[in-house]
Amino acid sequence: MKSENPSIARSKKTRMTTSNSQIDEDRSIDPAKTAALLLKSRAVRIEQLRNDQPDIDDISWHILLDLKVSMNADQPVTMLDLAIRLNVAKNIMVRYVEYLIGTELIDKPADALHKDLVPLKLTASGDALTGDILQKISQELVNG
């Protein structure tokens, strides 16, 4: 019997946890309002990054978000995990991660031979930047 790749198993577990979360059935979710909140969130992020890191696109931002969530949950995430979860080809993910390492937002993996399986983490500046932007997004969504 063939065993499953641990990265794929973790990715499936994360998807199952997310899809199994229950929504309060007494509350109606307005899709248009959800869309407006998502667009507002993106606008706030873009504005904040314009000042600090102008070349952080949507995929780079989702990589930072994934690492923030993973670090907060104390669950390691690898480049392969990110490629699977964000539906990005592995060779493209390698370029994104290398770029984010170059901007000093992600720590460089210690094992150069197996870098797709080495846990990644935000640097202190990457964690601070991501946290600051999330705080501003939260404030805008609550106040707006």
Side-chain angles (χ1 to χ4, degrees):
M1 185 165 142
K2 187 176 173 184
S3 67
E4 187 171 34
N5 179 321
S7 296
I8 294 172
R10 276 194 306 274
S11 180
K12 285 181 180 177
K13 182 178 177 185
T14 301
R15 282 193 304 245
M16 286 185 350
T17 303
T18 304
S19 65
N20 289 342
S21 62
Q22 293 183 345
I23 297 173
D24 183 357
E25 293 183 22
D26 294 337
R27 295 173 61 187
S28 176
I29 299 173
D30 178 10
K33 185 173 182 176
T34 301
L37 291 172
L38 289 171
L39 290 171
K40 176 84 168 179
S41 168
R42 185 173 190 272
V44 171
R45 173 182 49 93
I46 288 170
E47 182 61 34
Q48 293 304 308
L49 287 172
R50 185 172 293 134
N51 300 328
D52 297 320
Q53 291 284 343
D55 294 329
I56 302 297
D57 65 2
D58 287 342
I59 292 175
S60 297
W61 175 244
H62 282 90
I63 291 168
L64 297 174
L65 286 177
D66 200 304
L67 292 175
K68 180 81 169 168
V69 170
S70 298
M71 287 173 57
N72 189 56
D74 199 27
Q75 297 212 338
V77 64
T78 67
M79 195 177 325
L80 185 57
D81 294 330
L82 291 170
I84 292 167
R85 289 200 286 240
L86 298 177
N87 196 29
V88 173
K90 185 178 159 186
N91 63 326
I92 303 292
M93 184 57 71
V94 168
R95 286 186 249 161
Y96 272 103
V97 169
E98 287 175 354
Y99 173 75
L100 291 168
I101 289 168
T103 62
E104 299 181 355
L105 296 174
I106 294 178
D107 276 333
K108 185 174 185 175
D111 185 353
L113 292 176
H114 300 98
K115 62 184 173 184
D116 58 334
L117 299 175
V118 174
L120 300 171
K121 64 179 187 172
L122 296 171
T123 61
S125 61
D127 190 43
L129 176 71
T130 306
D132 289 347
I133 292 171
L134 290 170
Q135 184 64 36
K136 288 176 180 152
I137 289 171
S138 296
Q139 289 171 346
E140 283 290 325
L141 294 180
V142 168
N143 297 330

